[in-house]
Amino acid sequence: MDIIESILNIPVQDPPGEDFSSADLQWSKFGTAERHDDVVLIPYARVDAFIIGECSNVECPTRFHIERGRKRSKGSLKEYKSDEYLEYRLYWCSFGPENYGEGGGILPSRRYRLNTRNRAARPQSMRGCTCHFVVKRLYARPSLALLVYNNRRHVNKSGFVCHGPLDRDAIGPGAKKIPYICNEIQQQTMSMIYLGIPEENVLEKHIEGIQRYCGSNAKVNSLASQYVHKLGMIIKRSTHELDLDDQASIRMWVERNKKSIFFFQDTSETDPFILGIQTEWQFQQMIRFGHRSLIAADSTFGIKTLKYPLCTLLVFDSRQHALPVAWVITRSIAKPDVSKWMKTLLDRVHAVDPGWKINGFLIDDAATEIDPIRDTFSCPILFSLWRVRRSWLRNIVKRCNNIQVQREIFKRLGKIVYSIWDGVDSLVALEELTQDFVDQTDFVQYFKAFWVPKIEMWLTTMRNLPLASQEASGAIEAYHVKLKVKLYDDSHLGALQRVDWLVHKLTTELHSSYWLDRYADESDSFQNVKEEYISSTSWHRALQIPDSAVILDEKDHLFAKVVSQKDSRLTNLVWNPGSEFAFCDCSWSMQGNLCKHAIKVNMLCENRQGYQASMSYQSFKEILMTLWKKPIDDSVSLDLSMAWTHQMLDQIQKLVELNSSNDIGRVVNNLPLKWVAKKGRTSIGKPPLTLALPSSSNGNAVAPKRNRKRKRLSRLR
């Protein structure tokens, strides 16, 4: 095969079908005669389809993880070659690169069974597989990706097949008798057991997974049945109490689970207790869904009931559901303590992907220290209204018996929040509210005791920070409700003051639940789990309500009716439509939650006249108006304000165009041409030509500059 020296001579390939693999592509040799790689050009939008296809290799089914990554910002290079990257990611087969198996230098497999009463340790799944490839998003053509396959065979350093059906030796003790169980199959089985799925259903799915590696026979099925039964017994008999003393128990757990700990600080006279938990799967989800996206914090869970409050960091997955990627158990909210664990978490991510960055951080508590967030993540901070809305609605329903009074108080509180940009004195408005509802003694006393002293702090935070959308608020609330259901089980009320119990619940039941949700959605299996996962947020449930089921009050805009989809004779009444503080009479809303009826009504009201805009939109509008306002004098400040405003509007227009387009290549081609250097204006993205100089007296010619980037890539072999 001829060696191609320029990427411009490599054709772009886009195989048909939903997924494709390396076998569906025509690979080219790119480089020099001494050093070259197998490469191919594909649309960048189809990289995920290629990875899925590679994972579905019949001979060696696997998963690929990101071993290393780097990024550049557009415009950072004044001169560049045609193969320079905008984004660089090294994908490695998950059965490598380390070798935990027989012959490995880390954890050799046992060829014998230890004569103990405990279950023998299962060999780890990493077998030293050398299969890996590089995905380079081209700097000159961001719509294309250059695939560089360094090693396409799933073999170890000795050249032997190290996993899959063709491997007969690297599947643990008794390789020809005991089926190999990879981490994915084990996690799937454990998740189903933790969630209480019947053992026969667990066994059926377990055998299906094993047959991908070992084939089907009676011996495999028998051993799989024994494995599932024993694993179920171990899980049922496991306990969170490793020691009677809670502090000693949690130290033992930390020592045994170092890979799932990103920060630990034990209690001392000077330092508070801090425990940061992040499993390997959560770490991968944080890298995948957190980059160039949002991270949210459910920050004060269990502040009254648990020994130490729980803070959860969430990302928004492919369906915009809140996915927990880290748990922090601590009582301290001081800046130095928050900075410690935040910087440690970010350093952990940057060790794998140095270019990883988030676009925004959502908080839900006005008392949250925002300086550590800004110093660590260097991103805008948004505020979500879901916590204050939920607290007000729950206490209104709990302390006021008349539903008409309930919806009127909730509406008045919403007006106070909506007036934060109008210069209204909030204390005067609250005094009028308490006077008008003086007969509601229980609620008035509660509100004066818990909210009046700090209401100014909350309103100031809402006024100064951008406000999050209802979809984001609903996703965070859905996670909060699920966490509450998992933890506040009556059978465990006596253990709420133990940290080891909280850690056990988080890393077993809750972690397994979210792992199975994501697995069911991505693999299109466990249809009941997938359907429940998709409809787990009020926003997605609202999308299932047709527009025809909503009847608006076109005259006075006081209420809206939503016809039930299960029984057309039933309707739900939504008062104060178009507002985040809409009041619905359904059972879900009466528990303080953001219900699907209120969200659906607000969706229809946002484009109709006579209804107020959402808080998030008004906050966004206020930010633009602040940037656009003309300074006192006609100075440079005016130019700077106008430049910021137009820069933000331009980014928003591009984002809207990108989200609404089905062809990313067309969007990229429509972007304006950007000159990078005067001498490169006529040859943008082309390799610079080496000018031949007259030979000197000693006959030595000037050697062309070597491509250091390609040298580094070749070292990965």
Side-chain angles (χ1 to χ4, degrees):
M1 181 183 295
D2 295 335
I3 298 177
I4 300 176
E5 297 184 356
S6 174
I7 287 184
L8 300 177
N9 298 328
I10 301 177
V12 179
Q13 302 180 49
D14 189 2
E18 185 176 354
D19 305 324
F20 62 96
S21 66
S22 58
D24 302 318
L25 300 170
Q26 297 293 327
W27 294 82
S28 305
K29 298 289 185 181
F30 173 66
T32 63
E34 297 80 14
R35 196 180 301 276
H36 52 266
D37 297 300
D38 292 338
V39 301
V40 71
L41 275 178
I42 66 171
Y44 180 75
R46 301 214 64 196
V47 169
D48 288 343
F50 171 76
I51 296 174
I52 294 173
E54 283 297 281
C55 293
S56 304
N57 188 338
V58 177
E59 295 183 352
C60 296
T62 184
R63 289 287 181 92
F64 285 88
H65 66 273
I66 301 173
E67 183 72 14
R68 196 178 304 119
R70 293 188 292 270
K71 287 188 178 244
R72 291 191 178 110
S73 59
K74 191 65 177 175
S76 60
L77 298 180
K78 295 182 179 180
E79 297 181 3
Y80 54 88
K81 292 179 169 53
S82 58
D83 64 332
E84 291 287 359
Y85 67 86
L86 186 64
E87 298 178 10
Y88 169 93
R89 283 190 174 181
L90 170 62
Y91 288 88
W92 208 292
C93 172
S94 291
F95 288 91
E98 292 87 358
N99 187 0
Y100 289 85
E102 185 175 352
I106 301 178
L107 184 65
S109 301
R110 294 180 181 141
R111 285 189 171 274
Y112 56 90
R113 187 178 186 276
L114 295 180
N115 188 20
T116 63
R117 297 179 60 186
N118 297 328
R119 184 168 61 96
R122 184 183 65 85
Q124 302 295 322
S125 63
M126 302 181 79
R127 295 290 171 176
C129 183
T130 58
C131 178
H132 62 281
F133 60 87
V134 172
V135 176
K136 294 172 63 175
R137 188 176 187 180
L138 295 180
Y139 189 91
R141 294 184 286 176
S143 62
L144 299 181
L146 179 69
L147 304 183
V148 183
Y149 228 130
N150 302 106
N151 194 337
R152 209 179 307 179
R153 298 181 61 214
H154 291 268
V155 296
N156 55 23
K157 291 182 179 179
S158 301
F160 297 106
V161 177
C162 54
H163 64 90
L166 300 180
D167 176 27
R168 297 181 178 274
D169 299 320
I171 53 178
K176 297 182 179 180
K177 299 180 181 179
I178 300 177
Y180 174 67
I181 303 172
C182 68
N183 284 342
E184 180 182 308
I185 299 176
Q186 186 188 40
Q187 182 64 60
Q188 172 186 302
T189 305
M190 291 175 60
S191 299
M192 296 176 70
I193 295 174
Y194 277 124
L195 297 178
I197 297 177
E199 185 174 311
E200 55 270 18
N201 296 343
V202 177
L203 178 60
E204 179 183 355
K205 291 295 182 179
H206 183 79
I207 292 177
E208 288 180 4
I210 288 179
Q211 288 177 354
R212 292 186 303 167
Y213 297 91
C214 307
S216 176
N217 59 69
K219 185 65 175 179
V220 167
N221 295 347
S222 175
L223 292 172
S225 177
Q226 296 177 27
Y227 175 83
V228 171
H229 180 71
K230 290 180 180 179
L231 186 60
M233 295 298 296
I234 292 172
I235 290 176
K236 291 176 182 178
R237 294 174 181 176
S238 63
T239 176
H240 61 275
E241 292 186 358
L242 303 179
D243 191 278
L244 294 178
D245 179 65
D246 186 36
Q247 290 185 345
S249 179
I250 202 64
R251 291 191 198 103
M252 293 175 64
W253 186 90
V254 170
E255 189 65 25
R256 295 180 181 182
N257 298 271
K258 290 183 178 180
K259 289 186 177 181
S260 299
I261 305 298
F262 72 88
F263 188 87
F264 177 64
Q265 178 178 281
D266 207 350
T267 308
S268 65
E269 295 181 357
T270 57
D271 298 323
F273 176 85
I274 304 175
L275 176 60
I277 303 172
Q278 186 181 59
T279 66
E280 180 63 27
W281 178 76
Q282 288 179 307
F283 178 62
Q284 292 289 339
Q285 305 311 304
M286 183 174 180
I287 294 178
R288 177 183 178 187
F289 295 115
H291 181 61
R292 296 298 179 186
S293 186
L294 301 173
I295 285 184
D298 179 12
S299 54
T300 57
F301 184 87
I303 196 169
K304 297 179 181 179
T305 54
L306 300 178
K307 182 178 181 179
Y308 294 106
L310 172 66
C311 174
T312 306
L313 295 188
L314 307 162
V315 296
F316 297 94
D317 62 16
S318 55
R319 295 190 182 273
Q320 306 305 327
H321 290 9
L323 187 68
V325 292
W327 292 297
V328 181
I329 304 173
T330 183
R331 190 178 289 118
S332 175
I333 58 173
K335 293 181 182 179
D337 296 324
V338 175
S339 296
K340 286 180 185 177
W341 63 260
M342 277 193 176
K343 289 180 180 179
T344 303
L345 181 63
L346 185 62
D347 291 343
R348 190 184 194 199
V349 176
H350 281 171
V352 174
D353 188 353
W356 188 88
K357 181 179 177 58
I358 64 173
N359 285 344
F361 197 103
L362 272 67
I363 62 174
D364 58 2
D365 186 5
T368 302
E369 292 285 355
I370 62 177
D371 289 341
I373 302 175
R374 284 176 173 161
D375 295 341
T376 303
F377 293 101
S378 303
C379 67
I381 299 176
L382 291 78
F383 185 77
S384 174
L385 296 171
W386 81 268
R387 185 176 295 279
V388 62
R389 182 193 183 279
R390 177 183 176 85
S391 178
W392 286 354
L393 183 55
R394 283 171 61 88
N395 282 280
I396 289 173
V397 174
K398 177 182 177 181
R399 302 174 189 275
C400 302
N401 297 324
N402 192 315
I403 191 171
Q404 295 181 351
V405 174
Q406 293 172 357
R407 64 195 184 203
E408 187 61 29
I409 294 178
F410 198 52
K411 181 178 180 179
R412 291 280 293 274
L413 289 174
K415 286 184 177 180
I416 294 175
V417 175
Y418 266 81
S419 64
I420 57 178
W421 298 292
D422 299 335
V424 177
D425 191 334
S426 58
L427 295 179
V428 174
L430 288 174
E431 183 64 27
E432 293 177 357
L433 175 68
T434 56
Q435 291 297 327
D436 293 343
F437 297 95
V438 67
D439 56 328
Q440 304 297 320
T441 309
D442 191 12
F443 175 77
V444 171
Q445 290 179 350
Y446 153 78
F447 200 81
K448 285 184 175 181
F450 289 93
W451 282 100
V452 171
K454 57 183 179 182
I455 191 67
E456 192 63 33
M457 175 185 69
W458 282 81
L459 295 179
T460 301
T461 303
M462 297 177 195
R463 182 168 52 248
N464 294 337
L465 295 179
L467 299 181
S469 63
Q470 287 191 87
E471 183 178 10
S473 298
I476 301 173
E477 185 183 71
Y479 166 78
H480 182 87
V481 172
K482 184 173 184 177
L483 178 63
K484 191 172 183 180
V485 171
K486 291 290 184 183
L487 294 187
Y488 291 164
D489 190 344
D490 292 339
S491 61
H492 297 117
L493 291 179
L496 293 177
Q497 291 300 310
R498 290 188 64 98
V499 181
D500 55 1
W501 167 84
L502 175 60
V503 170
H504 181 76
K505 295 287 285 188
L506 292 176
T507 56
T508 55
E509 293 185 26
L510 192 66
H511 183 276
S512 298
S513 176
Y514 278 98
W515 186 94
L516 194 61
D517 286 344
R518 290 296 309 160
Y519 180 79
D521 187 40
E522 293 184 342
S523 63
D524 198 25
S525 57
F526 301 102
Q527 291 302 317
N528 293 337
V529 176
K530 179 178 179 180
E531 292 174 3
E532 184 178 350
Y533 156 73
I534 294 175
S535 61
S536 60
T537 66
S538 297
W539 182 273
H540 280 262
R541 291 194 295 269
L543 295 176
Q544 305 304 315
I545 302 177
D547 295 349
S548 58
V550 180
I551 304 173
L552 298 174
D553 176 21
E554 299 290 356
K555 182 179 180 181
D556 299 322
H557 310 300
L558 296 178
F559 62 89
K561 294 181 180 180
V562 182
V563 180
S564 173
Q565 299 303 294
K566 295 181 179 179
D567 188 352
S568 58
R569 296 172 297 178
L570 301 178
T571 59
N572 293 105
L573 202 60
V574 179
W575 288 85
N576 195 21
S579 169
E580 271 90 343
F581 294 86
F583 185 94
C584 182
D585 59 1
C586 70
S587 59
W588 185 248
S589 177
M590 299 300 278
Q591 299 176 31
N593 302 305
L594 184 61
C595 73
K596 61 181 180 180
H597 309 107
I599 293 179
K600 181 62 180 182
V601 170
N602 290 348
M603 288 179 179
L604 296 181
C605 292
E606 62 183 5
N607 295 322
R608 293 174 179 262
Q609 294 183 353
Y611 295 96
Q612 56 189 346
S614 66
M615 287 286 292
S616 57
Y617 176 79
Q618 292 194 32
S619 172
F620 172 68
K621 181 180 178 181
E622 186 67 20
I623 294 173
L624 289 181
M625 293 302 295
T626 302
L627 291 173
W628 179 79
K629 285 180 180 177
K630 180 180 178 181
I632 298 177
D633 56 347
D634 195 11
S635 62
V636 176
S637 299
L638 175 61
D639 302 331
L640 184 61
S641 178
M642 187 64 68
W644 282 346
T645 305
H646 280 279
Q647 181 182 11
M648 183 177 294
L649 287 173
D650 183 58
Q651 291 179 354
I652 294 172
Q653 289 174 355
K654 292 178 181 177
L655 182 61
V656 171
E657 182 182 2
L658 183 63
N659 291 336
S660 59
S661 175
N662 295 325
D663 185 1
I664 188 174
R666 184 177 302 173
V667 176
V668 173
N669 291 333
N670 291 334
L671 293 177
L673 185 63
K674 186 176 182 181
W675 302 112
V676 296
K678 181 178 180 181
K679 61 182 179 180
R681 289 182 179 176
T682 57
S683 58
I684 266 297
K686 296 182 179 180
L689 300 176
T690 303
L691 299 178
L693 299 179
S695 58
S696 57
S697 58
N698 56 9
N700 294 331
V702 178
K705 186 177 179 180
R706 300 197 62 173
N707 189 346
R708 298 178 60 192
K709 177 63 179 178
R710 184 156 308 286
K711 184 177 182 180
R712 290 198 299 270
L713 283 177
S714 62
R715 287 175 182 170
L716 297 175
R717 295 180 175 180

